Amino acid sequence: MPKASSNPTQRPKPRERTTAPVARTRREVVERVLAALVVGFGGVAVLGFAATLLHIGLRDSVPLFAGVAWQLAFWLPLVALPLAIVSLVTLVVVSAAGRARGR
């Protein structure tokens, strides 16, 4: 096995570790929460669309998809999609207002 070089210019310097916590402003926290809400509501809406399509397509052939829960899945996109849009608009407004104050 070859010996490691003793030339200090050929060795990478060790990285400095930062242990100080990064202070987050209230606006950053609100933006993160709103972004998570947009993704969550969007995911629920997509799953609701898929569940509705499964219910419509397979309710006559598969007894599992004839249940009441699959009928209620029809309401998921009707509720989650408007909430996702409202969260997205709020996120854009909060972000734009924060950047305008920063200038």
Side-chain angles (χ1 to χ4, degrees), residues 45-95:
V46 168
L47 289 175
F49 281 127
T52 301
L53 291 175
L54 284 173
H55 169 67
I56 291 170
L58 300 173
R59 67 180 165 204
D60 294 331
S61 60
V62 180
L64 173 69
F65 293 108
V68 176
W70 294 96
Q71 295 171 6
L72 294 177
F74 173 77
W75 290 95
L76 284 177
L78 295 177
V79 173
L81 199 57
L83 289 175
I85 292 170
V86 168
S87 299
L88 180 65
V89 169
T90 307
L91 175 63
V92 169
V93 168
V94 167
S95 179

Side-chain angles (χ1 to χ4, degrees), residues 2 11-13 15 27 29-30 33 38 48 54 57 67 78-79 81 83 89:
R11 291 187 201 159
K13 293 181 181 178
R15 294 183 182 181
R27 182 181 58 89
V29 172
V30 169
V33 169
V38 168
L54 284 173
L78 295 177
V79 173
L81 199 57
L83 289 175
V89 169

Side-chain angles (χ1 to χ4, degrees), residues 6-20:
S6 61
N7 186 352
T9 59
Q10 294 180 352
R11 291 187 201 159
K13 293 181 181 178
R15 294 183 182 181
E16 295 180 14
R17 297 183 183 232
T18 58
T19 58

